[in-house]
Amino acid sequence: MRLSRNIRVGVGGSRGSYVPGAEELRVTDQGHVAISNRRVVFQGGLKTREWTFSKLVGVQHDPQRPISLIQVTNRLNVSGISYPAEQAAQVRFVLELGAAIESGTVHQLVSYVEGERAQHARVRPVPLPPVTAADAPSVAARVGAGAKAALTGKPGQSRRRRVIHTAIAGGAALLLLNAGVGAMNGSSAQPAVGLPIPAATTAAAPTPTASTAVTQSARATATPTSPKPNPTQTIQPDVIVKKVKLGARPVAPKLLPTHGTPVRVGAICRDGSHSDATGRGACSWHKGVRTWLYEQPYWVAENKAKNAARMKKYKAALKTWNAQSERNKLLTNYPCSKGPYPKGKAGYAPWRDTNHNDIACDR
């Protein structure tokens, strides 16, 4: 290209095709959302964004996560809002209602909702008939059902568990039966040994025979004797307290960096609108860029969470180490033990003048 008599400029060309990368869904800000019949306004800590229903292309709700993506004609990239899972149904309905009011399709939305309600009413379970006193099982049926459940297990259990339950119940029944038979045999044999020997009032006492000796000995052993009361023990022996083996003092953990180079995420145009573009061409149809928007890299929040967890663990370990160290110092200077009674109870040793870490020490 000739610019003047002695100046020429050569203009080259380039060939190729632009292949965009895969889009990644990430959270860029947190704040509050207001939905009206004209637009959706998000007011966050970093920026404010709006989606006008008059420029709406479509609203897509994520079936797995509480996220709604809103596509409008004045933005190249698709953005949206995320909300708590328990409020997903309400937020999505309000979005659909606002878009329907703006586009004049409220009657179609009402017809759709009425159809969903009718479908829900059709699949509603049939209510069971009321139960009266005549439907109650008899006493014999209840006793039989209880005995069957005790022997074979509850209905609905697996076959293996019911077999184990039946085996255990059968063994317990046999043990009870054997114990009952033994008790009956013992009770029937006891009167034959313990019968008293009749004695005449005027005649001399007969010579004791073998059966008489057995009867007298059985009667003598059956006579109860009153045991002597044992004195209650008022003082219990102390439990000697030993030192705890301490390791090295916990060292403060190494913290991860929490500040990085801010990343450009968008721009505020001169006419007040927002743009997701981060380079040349941003706000080209909105009178140019007024302010660029930046935010910290994604790993800053992750490092802050890791640092908080490390510091919490370090403080807990340091607190335990300090308590055990103070306890060992006390055991070094004074003879300590766990007293027989807690402080304030009867019998508390008066010579113990302090309770430190649940131990008492002589000073």
Side-chain angles (χ1 to χ4, degrees):
M1 179 184 294
R2 182 177 180 181
L3 298 181
S4 62
R5 182 177 181 181
N6 296 323
I7 300 177
R8 291 179 177 273
V9 178
V11 180
S14 61
R15 296 182 180 179
S17 59
Y18 171 71
V19 179
E23 294 185 354
E24 179 183 359
L25 186 63
R26 59 189 179 92
V27 178
T28 59
D29 199 357
Q30 294 183 357
H32 300 277
V33 174
I35 304 175
S36 67
N37 60 339
R38 294 185 179 274
R39 61 180 180 173
V40 179
V41 180
F42 170 78
Q43 184 176 3
L46 299 177
K47 55 187 176 180
T48 302
R49 179 172 295 183
E50 69 174 3
W51 298 267
T52 306
F53 287 142
S54 60
K55 301 179 181 179
L56 181 66
V57 176
V59 179
Q60 182 180 1
H61 305 296
D62 193 321
Q64 304 295 335
R65 296 172 294 179
I67 297 175
S68 294
L69 300 179
I70 308 172
Q71 186 176 5
V72 290
T73 57
N74 60 337
R75 284 195 180 88
L76 179 62
N77 296 331
V78 180
S79 58
I81 58 176
S82 175
Y83 35 81
E86 60 272 10
Q87 300 178 2
Q90 180 180 2
V91 173
R92 293 178 179 182
F93 175 75
V94 173
L95 282 172
E96 297 292 343
L97 180 60
I101 293 174
E102 176 65 25
S103 60
T105 58
V106 179
H107 60 283
Q108 297 180 4
L109 178 63
V110 173
S111 301
Y112 174 77
V113 173
E114 292 295 338
E116 290 292 326
R117 293 184 60 185
Q119 178 66 20
H120 180 72
R122 283 194 296 268
V123 299
R124 181 179 180 179
V126 179
L128 298 176
V131 179
T132 61
D135 299 327
S138 61
V139 178
R142 291 198 298 268
V143 172
K148 181 179 179 181
L151 291 176
T152 62
K154 297 181 179 180
Q157 291 181 340
S158 63
R159 183 176 181 182
R160 179 181 178 184
R161 294 191 63 179
R162 298 191 73 170
V163 169
I164 296 175
H165 185 93
T166 304
I168 295 175
L174 290 177
L175 291 177
L176 292 175
L177 184 62
N178 291 336
V181 173
M184 293 176 61
N185 293 336
S187 61
S188 61
Q190 183 177 1
V193 179
L195 289 175
I197 299 176
T201 56
T202 56
T207 305
T209 60
S211 61
T212 306
V214 172
T215 303
Q216 292 176 352
S217 63
R219 185 181 301 175
T221 55
T223 303
T225 58
S226 57
K228 296 181 180 181
N230 295 329
T232 57
Q233 187 175 1
T234 57
I235 299 298
Q236 301 176 3
D238 293 348
V239 179
I240 303 301
V241 181
K242 298 181 180 180
K243 295 182 180 180
V244 179
K245 185 177 180 180
L246 286 177
R249 180 186 176 91
V251 182
K254 183 179 180 181
L255 301 180
L256 301 175
T258 56
H259 295 282
T261 304
V263 180
R264 183 181 295 177
V265 295
I268 299 177
C269 302
R270 295 184 182 277
D271 61 354
S273 61
H274 295 261
S275 174
D276 294 331
T278 58
R280 186 175 181 181
C283 300
S284 57
W285 296 90
H286 299 276
K287 301 180 182 180
V289 177
R290 178 192 298 173
T291 306
W292 291 108
L293 299 178
Y294 296 89
E295 66 179 18
Q296 291 290 334
Y298 70 93
W299 50 264
V300 172
E302 297 179 357
N303 287 357
K304 288 183 178 180
K306 292 179 181 179
N307 290 344
R310 292 181 181 181
M311 288 302 299
K312 182 178 180 181
K313 183 177 180 181
Y314 163 69
K315 290 180 180 179
L318 183 62
K319 183 178 180 181
T320 302
W321 190 91
N322 289 335
Q324 293 178 350
S325 178
E326 292 294 332
R327 185 174 184 269
N328 287 349
K329 290 179 182 179
L330 192 65
L331 294 175
T332 302
N333 299 330
Y334 306 102
C336 301
S337 62
K338 290 186 178 180
Y341 295 95
K343 187 174 183 181
K345 300 294 183 179
Y348 180 75
W351 47 270
R352 304 180 190 277
D353 59 351
T354 178
N355 275 354
H356 186 77
N357 291 329
D358 298 330
I359 60 176
C361 306
D362 299 337
R363 293 188 175 182

